[in-house]
Short mmCIF file of all heavy atoms in Angstrom, two decimals:
data_model
loop_
_atom_site.label_atom_id
_atom_site.label_comp_id
_atom_site.label_asym_id
_atom_site.label_seq_id
_atom_site.Cartn_x
_atom_site.Cartn_y
_atom_site.Cartn_z
N SER A 1 107.09 144.24 110.43
CA SER A 1 107.08 144.57 111.83
C SER A 1 107.04 143.37 112.70
O SER A 1 106.02 143.08 113.41
CB SER A 1 105.87 145.53 112.09
OG SER A 1 104.65 144.94 111.79
N ASN A 2 108.13 142.73 112.81
CA ASN A 2 108.21 141.61 113.84
C ASN A 2 109.37 141.75 114.62
O ASN A 2 110.28 142.55 114.34
CB ASN A 2 108.26 140.20 113.08
CG ASN A 2 109.39 140.09 112.08
OD1 ASN A 2 110.45 140.69 112.22
ND2 ASN A 2 109.04 139.36 111.05
N CYS A 3 109.55 141.02 115.67
CA CYS A 3 110.57 141.17 116.63
C CYS A 3 112.04 141.09 116.00
O CYS A 3 113.02 141.57 116.53
CB CYS A 3 110.54 140.27 117.83
SG CYS A 3 110.50 138.56 117.36
N GLN A 4 112.19 140.17 115.03
CA GLN A 4 113.44 140.13 114.37
C GLN A 4 113.81 141.18 113.41
O GLN A 4 114.98 141.25 112.91
CB GLN A 4 113.53 138.68 113.67
CG GLN A 4 113.61 137.49 114.61
CD GLN A 4 112.22 137.06 115.09
OE1 GLN A 4 111.16 137.47 114.51
NE2 GLN A 4 112.18 136.29 116.11
N GLY A 5 112.72 141.85 113.00
CA GLY A 5 113.00 142.93 111.96
C GLY A 5 113.43 142.41 110.64
O GLY A 5 114.23 143.07 109.93
N LYS A 6 113.05 141.11 110.14
CA LYS A 6 113.44 140.57 108.99
C LYS A 6 112.79 141.25 107.82
O LYS A 6 111.56 141.74 107.95
CB LYS A 6 113.15 139.10 108.96
CG LYS A 6 113.92 138.23 110.00
CD LYS A 6 113.41 136.83 109.99
CE LYS A 6 114.21 135.91 110.88
NZ LYS A 6 113.76 134.41 110.83
N LYS A 7 113.53 141.05 106.63
CA LYS A 7 112.87 141.51 105.42
C LYS A 7 112.32 140.30 104.55
O LYS A 7 113.02 139.19 104.62
CB LYS A 7 113.90 142.26 104.62
CG LYS A 7 114.32 143.59 105.22
CD LYS A 7 115.34 144.24 104.24
CE LYS A 7 115.64 145.71 104.81
NZ LYS A 7 116.57 146.38 103.88
N GLU A 8 111.17 140.49 104.06
CA GLU A 8 110.54 139.44 103.18
C GLU A 8 110.58 139.83 101.63
O GLU A 8 110.16 140.91 101.35
CB GLU A 8 109.22 139.10 103.64
CG GLU A 8 108.62 137.91 102.83
CD GLU A 8 107.25 137.66 103.19
OE1 GLU A 8 106.98 137.71 104.45
OE2 GLU A 8 106.37 137.29 102.35
N VAL A 9 111.19 138.96 100.88
CA VAL A 9 111.21 139.23 99.41
C VAL A 9 110.05 138.53 98.80
O VAL A 9 109.85 137.30 98.86
CB VAL A 9 112.51 138.74 98.78
CG1 VAL A 9 112.53 139.08 97.28
CG2 VAL A 9 113.68 139.44 99.49
N VAL A 10 109.09 139.31 98.11
CA VAL A 10 107.94 138.79 97.44
C VAL A 10 108.16 138.65 96.04
O VAL A 10 108.48 139.79 95.43
CB VAL A 10 106.77 139.58 97.80
CG1 VAL A 10 105.52 139.05 97.18
CG2 VAL A 10 106.49 139.64 99.35
N GLU A 11 108.08 137.55 95.37
CA GLU A 11 108.33 137.47 94.02
C GLU A 11 107.03 137.53 93.23
O GLU A 11 106.10 136.67 93.56
CB GLU A 11 108.99 136.23 93.68
CG GLU A 11 109.26 136.01 92.15
CD GLU A 11 110.00 134.71 91.85
OE1 GLU A 11 110.40 133.94 92.81
OE2 GLU A 11 110.22 134.33 90.73
N VAL A 12 106.71 138.46 92.41
CA VAL A 12 105.51 138.60 91.55
C VAL A 12 105.83 137.87 90.27
O VAL A 12 106.73 138.24 89.48
CB VAL A 12 105.26 140.09 91.26
CG1 VAL A 12 103.94 140.08 90.58
CG2 VAL A 12 105.03 140.89 92.47
N LYS A 13 105.22 136.64 90.16
CA LYS A 13 105.48 135.87 89.02
C LYS A 13 104.81 136.22 87.67
O LYS A 13 103.78 136.94 87.71
CB LYS A 13 104.78 134.41 89.44
CG LYS A 13 105.60 133.73 90.56
CD LYS A 13 105.13 132.36 90.84
CE LYS A 13 105.70 131.73 92.07
NZ LYS A 13 105.29 130.35 92.24
N PRO A 14 105.41 135.91 86.56
CA PRO A 14 104.75 136.24 85.30
C PRO A 14 103.47 135.54 85.15
O PRO A 14 103.24 134.57 85.71
CB PRO A 14 105.74 135.70 84.28
CG PRO A 14 107.00 135.42 85.16
CD PRO A 14 106.65 135.07 86.41
N GLU A 15 102.53 136.12 84.48
CA GLU A 15 101.27 135.62 84.16
C GLU A 15 101.46 134.27 83.36
O GLU A 15 102.36 134.28 82.48
CB GLU A 15 100.45 136.58 83.30
CG GLU A 15 99.08 136.12 83.05
CD GLU A 15 98.32 137.10 82.07
OE1 GLU A 15 98.81 138.11 81.82
OE2 GLU A 15 97.17 136.77 81.70
N THR A 16 100.69 133.20 83.71
CA THR A 16 100.77 132.01 83.15
C THR A 16 100.33 132.12 81.65
O THR A 16 99.18 132.42 81.47
CB THR A 16 99.98 130.91 83.83
OG1 THR A 16 100.44 130.84 85.13
CG2 THR A 16 100.15 129.50 83.05
N PRO A 17 101.18 131.74 80.72
CA PRO A 17 100.74 131.89 79.32
C PRO A 17 99.85 130.74 78.92
O PRO A 17 99.95 129.64 79.56
CB PRO A 17 102.01 131.78 78.45
CG PRO A 17 102.90 131.02 79.29
CD PRO A 17 102.58 131.34 80.82
N PHE A 18 98.89 130.92 77.90
CA PHE A 18 98.16 129.98 77.36
C PHE A 18 98.99 129.16 76.32
O PHE A 18 99.49 129.80 75.30
CB PHE A 18 96.86 130.41 76.79
CG PHE A 18 96.02 129.27 76.18
CD1 PHE A 18 95.09 128.64 76.98
CD2 PHE A 18 96.26 129.05 74.79
CE1 PHE A 18 94.39 127.72 76.25
CE2 PHE A 18 95.46 127.97 74.03
CZ PHE A 18 94.49 127.38 74.88
N VAL A 19 99.14 127.92 76.28
CA VAL A 19 100.11 127.14 75.38
C VAL A 19 99.22 125.92 74.98
O VAL A 19 98.80 125.06 75.59
CB VAL A 19 101.23 126.63 76.17
CG1 VAL A 19 102.20 125.89 75.17
CG2 VAL A 19 102.15 127.69 76.87
N TRP A 20 98.88 126.04 73.61
CA TRP A 20 98.06 124.99 73.02
C TRP A 20 98.72 123.62 73.23
O TRP A 20 98.04 122.62 73.52
CB TRP A 20 97.94 125.17 71.58
CG TRP A 20 96.80 126.22 71.32
CD1 TRP A 20 96.97 127.46 70.66
CD2 TRP A 20 95.46 126.10 71.49
NE1 TRP A 20 95.67 128.18 70.67
CE2 TRP A 20 94.74 127.28 71.01
CE3 TRP A 20 94.57 125.02 71.91
CZ2 TRP A 20 93.39 127.43 71.07
CZ3 TRP A 20 93.26 125.23 71.96
CH2 TRP A 20 92.61 126.39 71.48
N GLU A 21 100.03 123.37 73.14
CA GLU A 21 100.69 122.16 73.29
C GLU A 21 100.42 121.52 74.61
O GLU A 21 100.64 120.39 74.79
CB GLU A 21 102.16 122.34 73.09
CG GLU A 21 102.65 122.66 71.59
CD GLU A 21 102.61 124.22 71.46
OE1 GLU A 21 102.04 124.99 72.25
OE2 GLU A 21 103.16 124.54 70.33
N GLY A 22 100.11 122.23 75.59
CA GLY A 22 99.78 121.79 76.98
C GLY A 22 98.44 122.11 77.36
O GLY A 22 98.07 122.00 78.64
N ALA A 23 97.44 122.50 76.56
CA ALA A 23 96.09 122.82 76.87
C ALA A 23 95.31 121.67 77.44
O ALA A 23 95.67 120.43 77.25
CB ALA A 23 95.44 123.58 75.84
N ASN A 24 94.19 121.90 78.04
CA ASN A 24 93.21 120.83 78.48
C ASN A 24 91.85 121.17 77.89
O ASN A 24 91.18 122.08 78.42
CB ASN A 24 93.08 120.92 80.09
CG ASN A 24 92.45 119.65 80.65
OD1 ASN A 24 92.42 118.66 80.05
ND2 ASN A 24 91.84 119.82 81.82
N ILE A 25 91.57 120.45 76.86
CA ILE A 25 90.43 120.76 76.01
C ILE A 25 89.18 119.82 76.40
O ILE A 25 89.41 118.61 76.42
CB ILE A 25 90.75 120.38 74.52
CG1 ILE A 25 92.00 121.39 73.99
CG2 ILE A 25 89.51 120.69 73.59
CD1 ILE A 25 92.43 121.26 72.64
N TYR A 26 88.13 120.27 76.49
CA TYR A 26 86.92 119.64 76.92
C TYR A 26 86.10 119.36 75.57
O TYR A 26 85.67 120.41 75.04
CB TYR A 26 86.13 120.42 77.86
CG TYR A 26 84.94 119.57 78.49
CD1 TYR A 26 85.23 118.94 79.79
CD2 TYR A 26 83.70 119.54 77.92
CE1 TYR A 26 84.17 118.25 80.38
CE2 TYR A 26 82.69 118.74 78.62
CZ TYR A 26 82.86 118.09 79.94
OH TYR A 26 82.02 117.43 80.40
N PHE A 27 85.81 118.26 75.25
CA PHE A 27 85.10 117.84 74.01
C PHE A 27 83.74 117.37 74.26
O PHE A 27 83.61 116.41 75.07
CB PHE A 27 85.76 116.81 73.22
CG PHE A 27 84.96 116.21 72.04
CD1 PHE A 27 84.25 117.03 71.22
CD2 PHE A 27 85.18 114.83 71.67
CE1 PHE A 27 83.58 116.58 70.15
CE2 PHE A 27 84.53 114.37 70.58
CZ PHE A 27 83.69 115.09 69.81
N LEU A 28 82.72 118.00 73.79
CA LEU A 28 81.33 117.71 73.99
C LEU A 28 80.43 117.66 72.82
O LEU A 28 80.71 118.45 71.70
CB LEU A 28 80.73 118.72 75.00
CG LEU A 28 80.70 120.26 74.63
CD1 LEU A 28 79.36 120.61 73.82
CD2 LEU A 28 80.81 121.25 75.82
N LEU A 29 79.47 116.84 72.81
CA LEU A 29 78.40 116.88 71.83
C LEU A 29 77.39 117.87 72.30
O LEU A 29 76.74 117.77 73.24
CB LEU A 29 77.70 115.44 71.62
CG LEU A 29 78.28 114.61 70.66
CD1 LEU A 29 79.68 114.03 71.06
CD2 LEU A 29 77.37 113.43 70.37
N THR A 30 77.29 118.97 71.43
CA THR A 30 76.47 120.07 71.80
C THR A 30 74.98 119.62 72.16
O THR A 30 74.31 120.00 73.09
CB THR A 30 76.30 121.02 70.66
OG1 THR A 30 77.69 121.27 70.07
CG2 THR A 30 75.69 122.34 71.12
N ASP A 31 74.57 118.57 71.42
CA ASP A 31 73.03 118.19 71.66
C ASP A 31 73.07 117.29 72.99
O ASP A 31 71.79 117.17 73.40
CB ASP A 31 72.68 117.23 70.43
CG ASP A 31 71.21 116.70 70.68
OD1 ASP A 31 70.25 117.56 70.67
OD2 ASP A 31 71.06 115.47 70.84
N ARG A 32 74.00 116.85 73.54
CA ARG A 32 73.95 115.81 74.62
C ARG A 32 74.47 116.49 75.97
O ARG A 32 74.44 115.78 76.88
CB ARG A 32 74.74 114.51 74.27
CG ARG A 32 74.17 113.91 73.08
CD ARG A 32 72.78 113.34 73.22
NE ARG A 32 72.12 113.11 71.97
CZ ARG A 32 72.03 112.01 71.36
NH1 ARG A 32 72.78 111.04 71.65
NH2 ARG A 32 71.32 111.81 70.36
N PHE A 33 74.96 117.77 75.89
CA PHE A 33 75.68 118.19 77.19
C PHE A 33 74.73 118.84 78.14
O PHE A 33 74.61 118.36 79.33
CB PHE A 33 76.70 119.21 76.70
CG PHE A 33 77.45 119.71 77.84
CD1 PHE A 33 78.40 118.86 78.62
CD2 PHE A 33 77.50 120.98 78.27
CE1 PHE A 33 79.18 119.27 79.61
CE2 PHE A 33 78.26 121.50 79.38
CZ PHE A 33 79.18 120.58 79.98
N ASN A 34 73.98 119.81 77.63
CA ASN A 34 73.02 120.50 78.64
C ASN A 34 72.02 121.33 77.95
O ASN A 34 72.27 122.01 76.96
CB ASN A 34 73.95 121.51 79.57
CG ASN A 34 73.12 122.12 80.61
OD1 ASN A 34 72.28 121.59 81.15
ND2 ASN A 34 73.32 123.47 80.96
N ASN A 35 70.80 120.95 78.24
CA ASN A 35 69.54 121.62 77.63
C ASN A 35 69.24 122.88 78.52
O ASN A 35 68.58 122.74 79.64
CB ASN A 35 68.42 120.71 77.44
CG ASN A 35 67.37 121.26 76.76
OD1 ASN A 35 67.28 122.52 76.47
ND2 ASN A 35 66.27 120.48 76.41
N ALA A 36 69.55 124.16 78.07
CA ALA A 36 69.00 125.26 78.81
C ALA A 36 67.87 126.01 78.18
O ALA A 36 67.48 126.95 78.71
CB ALA A 36 70.25 126.28 79.02
N ASP A 37 67.45 125.51 76.96
CA ASP A 37 66.44 126.25 76.39
C ASP A 37 65.51 125.23 75.68
O ASP A 37 65.87 124.78 74.54
CB ASP A 37 66.82 127.26 75.33
CG ASP A 37 65.79 128.07 74.65
OD1 ASP A 37 64.56 127.78 74.99
OD2 ASP A 37 66.08 128.83 73.80
N SER A 38 64.36 124.81 76.31
CA SER A 38 63.54 123.66 75.71
C SER A 38 62.66 124.22 74.67
O SER A 38 62.25 123.32 73.91
CB SER A 38 62.71 123.08 76.82
OG SER A 38 61.90 124.08 77.49
N SER A 39 62.58 125.46 74.40
CA SER A 39 61.75 126.03 73.30
C SER A 39 62.42 125.61 71.97
O SER A 39 61.70 125.81 70.98
CB SER A 39 61.71 127.46 73.50
OG SER A 39 62.91 128.24 73.21
N ASN A 40 63.70 125.38 71.81
CA ASN A 40 64.22 125.01 70.58
C ASN A 40 64.61 123.50 70.32
O ASN A 40 65.32 123.09 69.53
CB ASN A 40 65.58 125.75 70.38
CG ASN A 40 66.70 125.42 71.39
OD1 ASN A 40 66.60 124.45 72.06
ND2 ASN A 40 67.69 126.12 71.47
N ASP A 41 63.94 122.69 71.22
CA ASP A 41 64.21 121.31 71.07
C ASP A 41 63.63 120.61 69.76
O ASP A 41 64.18 119.54 69.35
CB ASP A 41 63.53 120.55 72.28
CG ASP A 41 64.40 120.83 73.47
OD1 ASP A 41 65.29 121.57 73.47
OD2 ASP A 41 63.82 120.39 74.62
N VAL A 42 62.63 121.09 69.16
CA VAL A 42 62.07 120.53 67.95
C VAL A 42 62.10 121.60 66.79
O VAL A 42 61.52 122.60 66.98
CB VAL A 42 60.78 119.90 68.19
CG1 VAL A 42 60.13 119.32 66.84
CG2 VAL A 42 60.66 118.94 69.14
N ASN A 43 62.74 121.27 65.61
CA ASN A 43 62.62 122.14 64.54
C ASN A 43 62.63 121.28 63.33
O ASN A 43 62.91 120.13 63.22
CB ASN A 43 63.95 123.01 64.54
CG ASN A 43 64.07 123.96 65.51
OD1 ASN A 43 63.48 125.13 65.43
ND2 ASN A 43 64.78 123.60 66.66
#
């Protein structure tokens, strides 16, 4: 609804697939990353 009465074509894009060949992997040492439970620190 504008003064020119133009039509807009909206393209609904495909969902981005997950592709291992182009993934972004975060590598962490479980023991060194983040301590959220100090009750299990010593065993």
Side-chain angles (χ1 to χ4, degrees):
S1 56
N2 55 33
C3 57
Q4 289 82 15
K6 292 181 180 178
K7 291 183 178 181
E8 180 177 326
V9 178
V10 180
E11 182 181 353
V12 181
K13 297 179 180 180
E15 181 181 356
T16 302
F18 178 88
V19 181
W20 279 111
E21 293 87 346
N24 193 21
I25 300 176
Y26 194 92
F27 171 36
L28 59 89
L29 264 71
T30 313
D31 178 68
R32 300 295 158 87
F33 184 66
N34 185 36
N35 186 355
D37 184 0
S38 59
S39 70
N40 62 16
D41 288 359
V42 179
N43 292 281

